[in-house]
């Protein structure tokens, strides 16, 4: 079949790479795509991926039978609604389901209504009311822009002054319309863990666990980013915690079938905190995680086309997941200055040499070709260097060996991805 993937980051490169391995895939399109997807699919750089009518027109013109939506913005914009109404199989929830990510207030109310364990919170569209609520709390607290902010709208404030500054910055437009409503939460403690699930027909088929590194710099210092590295599985998760997370994801999937007008068909991403009281949900996302996808899909031993088509067509009982016993570690190579201002157009060298290492795959996140055909940087997060290994340490060592073979001006990356987990659960005490 002909398949269209919407998105242009490392997640979409990993999705396209996995779909391309299926014998069921004929023509594969990625819109807009990047320098890496161009090697395995036809990029469609000019398609407006948040415009449902434009996407539908492309689908009809190119006889596309399946659309896989990578990022959250097209989901919130209702692209899946437009495609489904036209009878196209689409992997991704409709606009209502996507509000689990599109609005943190919507998501928290959903959790409250269904008894899903999460942090205590308040939601405000008025500055003075938000500051009044904040004054009654003890630090640390978490301040979140309600809407989509590309993974950067969450501020963990260690003191009241920082929290007040974060609230004011939201209302002053630091995150645009996304910050017009602000959610203030108690700060949960413990390690974080992501558990994604394929959801269809109110049923959840959970994937392998993964643990992202959000902070920009070593030692979990610096501002939050879209993710600087990740690994799978997560060795510090106990059997009881894993069972509890599975139960929460199944409970949440069942709730989508009762709360939402249409069947939720796509990925439900559970971001968890492993608190002393048990796992609690920090957030839900309505799509594959980035960069979690880059370590989860390389460990998937089932045919991704079979899976996403079963989800898209509402056949949850036909989903079968099998996972490799190998470990996967991903290190993100970023542009100098990220997540702040950065320059583009830096020539990238060494990817072919890195991929000659056994078990190493490089997924492109922010790359493009310049007028001379050279691969250059085109974003903040540039490359996702992924290594599979027979042990956690083996995968980590391979990933960093590969990172050292890749070069571009201003290359920055964390040198401690997975180091804390390798030291054991006590590293969080």
């Amino acid at each position: 079949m002909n398949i269209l993937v919407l998105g242009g980051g490392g997640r979409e490169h990993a999705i396209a790479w996995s779909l391309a391995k299926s014998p069921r895939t004929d023509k594969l399109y990625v819109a807009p795509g990047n320098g890496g997807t161009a090697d395995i699919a036809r990029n469609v750089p000019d398609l407006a991926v948040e415009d449902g009518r434009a996407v539908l027109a492309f689908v009809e013109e190119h006889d596309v039978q399946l659309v896989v939506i990578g990022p959250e913005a097209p989901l919130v914009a209702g692209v899946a609604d437009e495609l489904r109404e036209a009878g196209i199989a689409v992997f991704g929830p409709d606009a209502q389901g996507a509000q689990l990510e599109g609005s943190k207030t919507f998501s928290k109310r959903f959790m409250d209504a269904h008894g899903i364990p999460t942090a205590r919170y308040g939601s405000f569209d008025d500055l003075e009311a938000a500051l009044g609520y904040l004054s009654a709390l003890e630090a640390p607290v978490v301040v979140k822009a309600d809407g989509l902010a590309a993974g950067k709208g969450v501020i963990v404030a260690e003191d009241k002054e920082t929290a007040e500054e974060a609230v004011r910055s939201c209302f002053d437009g630091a995150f645009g319309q996304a910050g017009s409503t602000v959610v203030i939460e108690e700060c949960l403690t413990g390690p974080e863990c992501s558990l994604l699930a394929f959801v269809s027909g109110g049923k959840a088929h959970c994937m392998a666990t993964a643990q992202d590194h959000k902070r920009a710099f070593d030692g979990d210092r610096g501002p939050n980013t879209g993710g600087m590295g990740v690994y799978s599985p997560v060795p510090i998760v106990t059997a009881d915690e894993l069972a509890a997370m599975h139960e929460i994801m199944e409970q949440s999937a069942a709730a989508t079938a009762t709360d939402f007008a249409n069947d939720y068909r796509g990925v439900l991403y559970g971001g968890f905190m492993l608190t002393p009281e048990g796992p609690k949900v920090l957030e839900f996302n309505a799509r594959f995680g980035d960069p979690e996808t880059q370590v989860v899909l390389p460990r998937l031993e089932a045919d991704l086309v079979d899976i996403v088509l079963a989800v898209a067509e509402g056949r949850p009982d036909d989903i079968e997941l099998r996972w490799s016993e190998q470990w996967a570690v991903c290190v993100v190579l970023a542009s100098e200055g990220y997540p702040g201002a950065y320059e583009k157009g830096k020539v990238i060298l060494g990817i072919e040499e890195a991929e000659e290492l056994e078990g190493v795959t490089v997924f492109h996140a922010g790359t493009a070709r310049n007028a001379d055909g050279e691969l250059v940087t085109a974003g903040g997060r540039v490359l996702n260097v992924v290594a599979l290994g027979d042990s956690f340490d083996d995968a980590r060592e391979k990933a960093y060996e590969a990172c050292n073979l890749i070069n571009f001006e201003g290359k920055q990356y964390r040198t401690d991805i997975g180091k804390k987990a390798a030291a054991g659960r006590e590293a969080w005490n």
Side-chain angles (χ1 to χ4, degrees):
M1 58 173 53
N2 298 337
I3 303 173
L4 169 64
V5 177
L6 298 186
R11 165 185 50 214
E12 287 75 35
H13 189 185
I15 292 170
W17 171 84
S18 192
L19 293 171
K21 294 191 297 182
S22 171
R24 301 189 66 178
T25 300
D26 186 6
K27 294 179 181 177
L28 182 60
Y29 303 93
V30 185
N34 58 42
T37 59
D39 293 334
I40 58 173
R42 175 186 159 189
N43 283 350
V44 191
D46 298 325
L47 182 59
V49 299
E50 295 177 37
D51 183 339
R53 291 186 179 181
V55 174
L56 179 59
F58 179 90
V59 164
E60 292 176 340
E61 181 181 351
H62 294 84
D63 193 26
V64 170
Q65 290 90 38
L66 173 64
V67 178
V68 179
I69 302 178
E72 57 275 21
L75 295 170
V76 173
V79 171
D81 307 60
E82 190 99 27
L83 294 170
R84 283 204 182 94
E85 189 173 328
I88 305 299
V90 55
F91 181 86
D94 65 10
Q96 184 186 22
Q99 282 301 296
L100 286 173
E101 178 169 4
S103 168
K104 293 179 176 64
T105 301
F106 179 95
S107 185
K108 296 293 279 191
R109 288 172 178 166
F110 173 86
M111 293 183 223
D112 277 352
H114 295 283
I116 296 167
T118 188
R120 295 188 298 273
Y121 76 101
S123 176
F124 307 92
D125 57 13
D126 175 77
L127 173 63
E128 294 307 318
L131 294 178
Y133 180 82
L134 180 62
S135 67
L137 300 179
E138 293 185 4
V141 297
V142 180
V143 178
K144 298 180 177 181
D146 179 77
L148 300 179
K152 299 166 191 164
V154 177
I155 301 96
V156 179
E158 299 294 339
D159 54 65
K160 286 289 193 67
E161 291 76 15
T162 303
E164 182 175 330
E165 181 182 341
V167 170
R168 291 185 183 278
S169 70
C170 285
F171 283 115
D172 285 344
F175 303 104
Q177 189 60 31
S180 60
T181 298
V182 174
V183 173
I184 302 173
E185 294 182 352
E186 67 170 328
C187 187
L188 300 177
T189 60
E192 292 188 35
C193 179
S194 302
L195 182 63
L196 285 65
F198 294 105
V199 173
S200 185
K203 296 182 178 180
H205 292 263
C206 293
M207 304 184 210
T209 55
Q211 191 171 58
D212 188 13
H213 294 61
K214 284 287 187 185
R215 298 284 189 162
F217 308 125
D218 284 4
D220 289 328
R221 295 178 296 106
N224 272 339
T225 70
M228 294 300 293
V230 61
Y231 52 83
S232 176
V234 183
I236 60 170
V237 176
T238 67
D240 286 346
E241 287 171 332
L242 183 59
M245 287 192 289
H246 274 248
E247 183 177 343
I248 290 169
M249 294 303 292
E250 290 162 3
Q251 176 186 357
S252 302
T256 67
T258 60
D259 279 26
F260 301 156
N262 298 315
D263 190 9
Y264 187 107
R265 298 182 182 181
V267 170
L268 184 62
Y269 168 127
F272 286 89
M273 183 74 84
L274 306 179
T275 77
E277 297 81 37
K280 294 186 179 183
V281 176
L282 292 170
E283 63 178 359
F284 282 129
N285 291 327
R287 37 71 189 180
F288 275 114
D290 187 349
E292 290 90 345
T293 304
Q294 289 88 301
V295 289
V296 170
L297 289 186
R299 297 186 60 230
L300 178 67
E301 294 184 333
D303 188 312
L304 184 62
V305 173
D306 287 342
I307 295 167
V308 298
L309 194 59
V311 171
E313 293 179 346
R315 299 182 284 107
D317 295 337
D318 292 340
I319 298 171
E320 295 183 8
L321 304 183
R322 300 186 306 278
W323 302 100
S324 165
E325 294 295 322
Q326 287 191 300
W327 295 77
V329 173
C330 168
V331 179
V332 173
L333 302 184
S335 296
E336 183 178 14
Y338 177 79
Y342 54 84
E343 295 182 356
K344 300 179 182 180
K346 309 299 183 182
V347 175
I348 304 168
L349 301 173
I351 292 178
E352 289 184 1
E353 290 81 357
E355 292 194 315
E356 288 176 359
L357 298 175
E358 184 181 358
V360 170
T361 304
V362 180
F363 294 120
H364 296 223
T367 68
R369 295 281 175 182
N370 64 16
D372 296 324
E374 298 170 308
L375 186 71
V376 297
T377 64
R381 290 187 294 173
V382 178
L383 298 169
N384 304 149
V385 182
V386 179
L388 293 173
D390 293 331
S391 68
F392 196 10
D393 288 341
D394 180 34
R396 290 186 71 245
E397 289 170 7
K398 282 184 185 177
Y400 280 108
E401 183 182 356
C403 287
N404 290 332
L405 293 172
I406 300 171
N407 289 289
F408 56 86
E409 183 183 339
K411 178 182 75 173
Q412 71 171 41
Y413 61 98
R414 285 185 56 164
T415 65
D416 62 347
I417 301 302
K419 183 177 181 180
K420 195 172 182 179
R425 188 68 172 260
E426 58 272 13
W428 275 265
N429 294 336

